[in-house]
C-alpha cells in the first residue's frame, strides 16, 4: 500500500489545550475493558483541500487525542481522489487506498466544513467511494463513527446531521455525541493548534466516547451485523453455484 496518502500528524504528542489532570488515558477502562491484542484502529476523513483547512486541523486535534487514549490513527489525504464515476471501475490508486484504510479501521471520524448549508463535495466524494460491499467484504458495516463539522459563521448542525444520515446509510454505528465548531477561524492559533475552549472540550468528549464504544462493540460486531436478508442472499448464491457446477 502506498503510504503517501496518509497525512503525517504534526506534534502528535503535544496537547496544550488538554487538562491532563481530568483525562482518563484509557477511556474504555471505565467499562472494565482492555484493548485486547491491538489498539482501536480509527480512520479520520476531512472535507477541504484548502492549504489551511479547519476541518483538517480539527481532525488532527482529534487524532492526537485518540493517540493519547491508546488508539492507532490514520488520516487520509483526499487531494488526488477523483470524483465518483470519473475513473472507469474506480480503478484509481487513491480510491483503492481509501478502501484499504476503511477495511483496516474499526471506527472512523468524519469532519466536514459546512458550505452552503451542507457537507462539501470533497467529503461526499470520499464517502461515495466507500461502497456498501466489495464482493463479500463490507468496508463500513459495523464500524463506529464520530461526526464533526466546522463553520465559518455561527454554530450550525446541518453538516453533522447529514453525516449522521450517511453513516446510517453506510450501516455504521454513529455515536451519540458530536462536535460542531463555530467561527473556526477564531478557534485555531497561528500555530494551527486549537485554543482551549468549550469547542475543544467537546472534541475531547467525542473522542473519549468513540474509543469507549469502539472497544465495547469490538467483540460483538459479527453478531450485531448478522442479517437475515444477507444470509438468504448468500445461501441463494451457493445454491446457484452448486447447480451450475
Amino acid at each position: 500500500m502506498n503510504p503517501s496518502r496518509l497525512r503525517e500528524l504534526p506534534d502528535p504528542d503535544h496537547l496544550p489545550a488538554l487538562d491532563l489532570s481530568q483525562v482518563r488515558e484509557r477511556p474504555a477502562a471505565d467499562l472494565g475493558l482492555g484493548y485486547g491484542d491491538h489498539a482501536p484502529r480509527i480512520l479520520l476523513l476531512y472535507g477541504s483541500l484548502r492549504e489551511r483547512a479547519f476541518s483538517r486541523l480539527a481532525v488532527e486535534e482529534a487524532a492526537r487525542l485518540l493517540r493519547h487514549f491508546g488508539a492507532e490513527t490514520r488520516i487520509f489525504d483526499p487531494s488526488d481522489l477523483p470524483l465518483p464515476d470519473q475513473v472507469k471501475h474506480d480503478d484509481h490508486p487513491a480510491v483503492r487506498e481509501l478502501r484499504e484504510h476503511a477495511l483496516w479501521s474499526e471506527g472512523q471520524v468524519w469532519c466536514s466544513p459546512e458550505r452552503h448549508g451542507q457537507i462539501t463535495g470533497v467529503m461526499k466524494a470520499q464517502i461515495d467511494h466507500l461502497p456498501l460491499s466489495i464482493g463479500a467484504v463490507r468496508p463500513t458495516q459495523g464500524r463506529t463513527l464520530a461526526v464533526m463539522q466546522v463553520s465559518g459563521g455561527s454554530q450550525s448542525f446541518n453538516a453533522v446531521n447529514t453525516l449522521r444520515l450517511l453513516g446510517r446509510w453506510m450501516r455504521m454505528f454513529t455515536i451519540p455525541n458530536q462536535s460542531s465548531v463555530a467561527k473556526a477561524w477564531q478557534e485555531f492559533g497561528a500555530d494551527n493548534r486549537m485554543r482551549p475552549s468549550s469547542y475543544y472540550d467537546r472534541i475531547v468528549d467525542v473522542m473519549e466516547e468513540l474509543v469507549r464504544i469502539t472497544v465495547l462493540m469490538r467483540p460483538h460486531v459479527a453478531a450485531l451485523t448478522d442479517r437475515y436478508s444477507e444470509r438468504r442472499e448468500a445461501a441463494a448464491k451457493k445454491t446457484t453455484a452448486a447447480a451450475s457446477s
Side-chain angles (χ1 to χ4, degrees):
M1 181 178 62
N2 180 359
S4 65
R5 292 180 186 85
L6 290 180
R7 289 193 62 92
E8 185 174 345
L9 182 62
D11 297 321
D13 301 316
H14 184 48
L15 297 163
L18 187 66
D19 181 356
L20 294 174
S21 69
Q22 299 301 317
V23 167
R24 287 170 170 72
E25 291 192 1
R26 293 295 180 270
D30 300 348
L31 305 171
L33 298 171
Y35 287 173
D37 60 356
H38 66 271
R41 299 191 294 256
I42 309 296
L43 173 65
L44 299 98
L45 306 180
Y46 59 91
S48 173
L49 301 182
R50 290 180 176 176
E51 183 177 353
R52 191 169 189 249
F54 294 115
S55 60
R56 190 193 77 238
L57 297 182
V59 151
E60 289 175 353
E61 295 291 354
R64 293 183 187 98
L65 291 164
L66 289 166
R67 283 171 49 89
H68 191 74
F69 297 148
E72 183 180 355
T73 63
R74 295 180 180 180
I75 302 174
F76 181 74
D77 181 349
S79 57
D80 69 338
L81 191 72
L83 291 172
D85 305 318
Q86 183 177 357
V87 177
K88 188 176 182 180
H89 305 306
D90 291 329
D91 189 17
H92 187 280
V95 176
R96 291 195 296 271
E97 184 171 337
L98 173 60
R99 292 174 179 177
E100 288 171 5
H101 295 315
L103 290 170
W104 165 86
S105 71
E106 296 174 296
Q108 297 185 19
V109 176
W110 295 351
C111 182
S112 177
E114 181 172 318
R115 184 171 296 168
H116 301 313
Q118 263 302 338
I119 66 172
T120 61
V122 173
M123 191 78 238
K124 185 62 160 57
Q126 292 175 87
I127 298 169
D128 285 348
H129 276 303
L130 296 175
L132 285 174
S133 63
I134 305 173
V137 179
R138 302 185 184 276
T140 54
Q141 178 168 287
R143 283 149 178 84
T144 54
L145 174 65
V147 296
M148 302 166 54
Q149 76 169 75
V150 295
S151 303
S154 58
Q155 191 171 44
S156 169
F157 301 96
N158 291 323
V160 287
N161 287 341
T162 294
L163 292 174
R164 283 189 176 279
L165 186 155
L166 290 166
R168 183 169 68 248
W169 187 262
M170 303 302 287
R171 300 177 180 176
M172 303 175 80
F173 293 98
T174 308
I175 68 171
N177 216 336
Q178 62 187 25
S179 166
S180 174
V181 180
K183 297 182 180 179
W185 50 276
Q186 292 183 341
E187 299 303 319
F188 292 86
D191 59 355
N192 288 333
R193 296 305 305 270
M194 199 167 181
R195 298 184 173 103
S197 68
S198 60
Y199 292 130
Y200 180 82
D201 291 349
R202 174 58 66 91
I203 293 177
V204 179
D205 291 346
V206 174
M207 294 309 115
E208 278 188 339
E209 188 172 290
L210 178 63
V211 169
R212 286 190 179 105
I213 294 180
T214 301
V215 174
L216 182 65
M217 287 185 55
R218 178 188 277 171
H220 310 294
V221 168
L224 290 169
T225 58
D226 181 25
R227 289 185 170 86
Y228 164 77
S229 58
E230 293 174 6
R231 294 195 301 273
R232 285 201 69 212
E233 182 182 352
K237 287 180 179 178
K238 285 183 180 180
T239 300
T240 301
S244 60
S245 62

